[in-house]
Amino acid sequence: MRTLNHLPDRVTLVEVGPRDGLQNEKQAVAAADKVELVHRLQAAGLTEIEVTSFVSPKWVPQMADNTEVMAGITRQPGVRYSVLTPNLKGWEAAALTRPDEIVVFGAASEAFSQRNINCSITESIERFAPVVAAARAAGIKVRGAISCAVGCPYEGEIAPERVGLVARLMAGIGVQHVGVADTIGVGTPRQVQAALEAALAHYPLAEVSGHFHDTYGMALANVLASLELGIARFDTSVSGLGGCPYAKGATGNVATEDVVWLLHGMGISTGIDLDALIDAGQFIRQALGQPNGSRVARALLAKKA
Ligand code: HMG
Ligand code: MG
């Protein structure tokens, strides 16, 4: 394991709350609130925002307002807006909304691939290939997500080789970056490092990121373990919003506020204003009528009160 003594000086956080977070909400969230959330996130200094997904509204009704949300955003220079596109139909609808980046999402587990996108891993790569080609021809960056990279709700523990296989297949069709996702948050640091290493066999360090759900409270430890490998990009969700509709019991991504606290506390810069970020998290949690899921936000809000 190639762990570093010197951690990265700067880390980029990809805010996935509007997509990964809100896709899992039982209640309807107004498109205007989603747009306002994106505006508050970019004002807080987030430069990468995963806005929505172009998936079947029958499967994920929460994202049915994708076009409306993309159209409603006042774009800020220097901010990259990404969307999920599982197939050509999704890409065609997404392309009209001018995303800066698209995300194809596969899995290291066959069972999860079937439940999430209704096809095998091999079929998913076949579906992604024309999407990747079309996006790259249009000059749009393509990211890939590898779900269930350490554990699967249906298959249990996942071997790193299976992450390596999906990373190799994604690299083969031109996916430019891969996110190693612990969809159900079961992973512990050595397992997560092994999964990242498997992806790093096919991608350079700058093109591998971590996406950790915090179901078992391991996500911050896994961020630190990733930093030790030199990984400097993480998907995080403001106020810890979210979960996955096809991974029962999975909670949200690690809260952006908590990762910012960890990083700033270690002298690692993010460009994010923590107070403004906490306000953004409070805005959406109040709109949802829910308590804030970020421990850092709760602690700092209690101190202020
Ligand atoms: P399918 O049923 O196999 O697709 O779904 P199909 O091609 O057979 O089409 C069936 C129907 O869906 C047709 O409509 C299509 O038009 C429609 P009908 O004729 O029945 O009226 N359809 C679409 N509609 C809108 N947009 C589309 C689209 N594609 C087909 N893009 C599909 C395949 C992938 C679409 C479906 O399984 C689906 O939408 N799944 C939802 C997956 C999802 O959003 N999961 C959550 C996001 S992934 C995630 O959270 C994990 C991640 O965070 C990383 C991690 O934590 O692990 C990224
Ligand atoms: Mg996720």
Side-chain angles (χ1 to χ4, degrees):
M1 197 85 50
R2 307 170 282 175
T3 58
L4 307 178
N5 292 325
H6 183 75
L7 302 182
D9 296 321
R10 190 177 171 89
V11 159
T12 301
L13 298 184
V14 181
E15 172 58 50
V16 298
R19 195 283 302 171
D20 204 339
L22 297 182
Q23 76 179 8
N24 207 43
E25 272 309 314
K26 302 275 174 290
Q27 57 186 298
V29 181
D33 285 341
K34 298 179 179 179
V35 169
E36 175 69 18
L37 175 61
V38 171
H39 288 164
R40 285 174 184 251
L41 291 166
Q42 63 192 18
L46 269 306
T47 54
E48 307 257 354
I49 304 177
E50 203 170 273
V51 177
T52 186
S53 57
F54 286 84
V55 297
S56 162
K58 286 183 193 147
W59 285 60
V60 186
Q62 295 88 338
M63 296 286 112
D65 57 3
N66 42 29
T67 296
E68 187 184 352
V69 173
M70 284 296 278
I73 295 167
T74 302
R75 298 192 193 197
Q76 193 172 289
V79 177
R80 190 146 70 174
Y81 305 90
S82 56
V83 301
L84 267 59
T85 55
N87 54 17
L88 270 176
K89 190 176 168 89
W91 154 253
E92 280 159 11
L96 300 173
T97 70
R98 299 182 301 107
D100 300 298
E101 183 180 53
I102 60 153
V103 185
V104 291
F105 49 105
S109 140
E110 281 293 349
F112 190 80
S113 181
Q114 287 291 350
R115 301 279 180 125
N116 195 37
I117 50 175
N118 205 24
C119 62
S120 69
I121 294 171
T122 306
E123 285 164 344
S124 74
I125 298 294
E126 285 163 10
R127 284 187 191 179
F128 299 154
V131 175
V132 176
R136 293 204 52 185
I140 293 174
K141 183 159 185 185
V142 181
R143 186 150 56 87
I146 305 178
S147 288
C148 297
V150 289
C152 168
Y154 314 107
E155 293 184 15
E157 204 169 316
I158 298 292
E161 293 71 36
R162 297 173 64 187
V163 177
L165 170 68
V166 179
R168 180 169 65 75
L169 294 173
M170 284 193 172
I173 58 167
V175 173
Q176 293 160 288
H177 177 104
V178 283
V180 171
D182 184 5
T183 312
I184 54 171
V186 287
T188 48
R190 294 288 178 239
Q191 288 174 310
V192 164
Q193 286 179 332
L196 290 166
E197 289 271 9
L200 287 167
H202 304 281
Y203 282 88
L205 198 48
E207 298 301 350
V208 176
S209 54
H211 176 112
F212 306 131
H213 286 260
D214 200 26
T215 317
Y216 288 74
M218 296 294 113
L220 283 176
N222 291 334
V223 168
L224 185 55
S226 308
L227 291 170
E228 286 179 350
L229 295 185
I231 300 290
R233 284 175 71 91
F234 299 95
D235 296 350
T236 62
S237 181
V238 70
S239 79
L241 285 172
C244 177
Y246 302 103
K248 209 167 174 231
T251 68
N253 297 83
V254 64
T256 311
E257 297 90 325
D258 298 4
V259 177
V260 167
W261 181 268
L262 172 78
L263 296 172
H264 291 185
M266 295 179 75
I268 298 169
S269 65
T270 63
I272 295 168
D273 175 340
L274 182 56
D275 287 329
L277 178 65
I278 290 172
D279 289 346
Q282 280 295 92
F283 161 76
I284 191 64
R285 288 295 187 171
Q286 276 162 8
L288 295 169
Q290 295 168 352
N292 198 308
S294 155
R295 300 183 73 139
V296 166
R298 286 204 304 266
L300 293 178
L301 288 166
K303 205 164 116 181
K304 252 195 219 166

